[in-house]
Amino acid sequence: MFGIRVNHAVPDDAVADVPHRARLFYTLLVPATDALLQIANTAAENGDFDHARRCYERGAALGDFLCIHALGYMYDVGEGVPDDKSLAMKIYRRAWRLGSHASATNIAILYREQGKISLMFRWYQRAAAAGDGSAHF
């Protein structure tokens, strides 16, 4: 269903220029959102979509783009929530701004479903430029 990040280690050089408090916050935050994502994915795989949604929402509130993307997907396909393409688009855009390449691809797909081909291509180009190999056409 969704990929799970398993490497919780934060390399020292990745946060070397970040003030100590921010580093501490990041070190504490990443494992928390990873845990929420894993719990949510497991709940969704077991059909407990309400629990999955709540976990994705908690992760989204903490700014985790994978949780935000997963929440958008739930609304996109109506998985445990009412199908709401407009809300899914808003959620995917938020995830994209935070770094989710998959969200750019899903935005392109939503535009394709609406028949907005030029916007679809624009979003596939963004995903490809960001390094998403599945977006090359």
Side-chain angles (χ1 to χ4, degrees):
M1 187 169 154
F2 300 107
I4 298 175
R5 292 181 290 173
V6 292
N7 183 3
H8 300 296
V10 179
D12 289 335
D13 61 335
V15 292
D17 297 331
V18 179
H20 175 69
R21 288 184 197 194
R23 259 190 310 211
L24 179 61
F25 177 75
Y26 181 78
T27 305
L28 295 173
L29 177 66
V30 171
T33 57
D34 280 351
L36 283 169
L37 185 63
Q38 289 177 336
I39 293 166
N41 287 341
T42 300
E45 288 171 7
N46 292 330
D48 189 354
F49 298 115
D50 189 52
H51 185 70
R53 180 188 48 76
R54 288 192 315 269
C55 289
Y56 290 141
E57 287 173 346
R58 287 181 188 145
L62 293 171
D64 184 279
F65 70 81
L66 293 174
C67 288
I68 297 168
H69 174 83
L71 186 61
Y73 180 81
M74 289 185 82
Y75 284 99
D76 188 0
V77 300
E79 187 174 74
V81 296
D83 179 319
D84 189 337
K85 302 289 187 182
S86 177
L87 180 57
M89 177 73 82
K90 289 177 186 174
I91 295 171
Y92 283 146
R93 284 179 178 271
R94 180 176 170 214
W96 161 254
R97 286 190 300 272
L98 292 173
S100 172
H101 304 159
S103 291
T105 300
N106 287 7
I107 291 168
I109 291 167
L110 286 173
Y111 278 129
R112 183 186 67 209
E113 291 172 356
Q114 296 172 10
K116 298 179 179 178
I117 303 305
S118 64
L119 287 171
M120 175 198 72
F121 278 114
R122 195 173 315 157
W123 278 95
Y124 275 131
Q125 287 172 335
R126 288 178 181 179
D132 184 350
S134 68
H136 290 279
F137 48 92

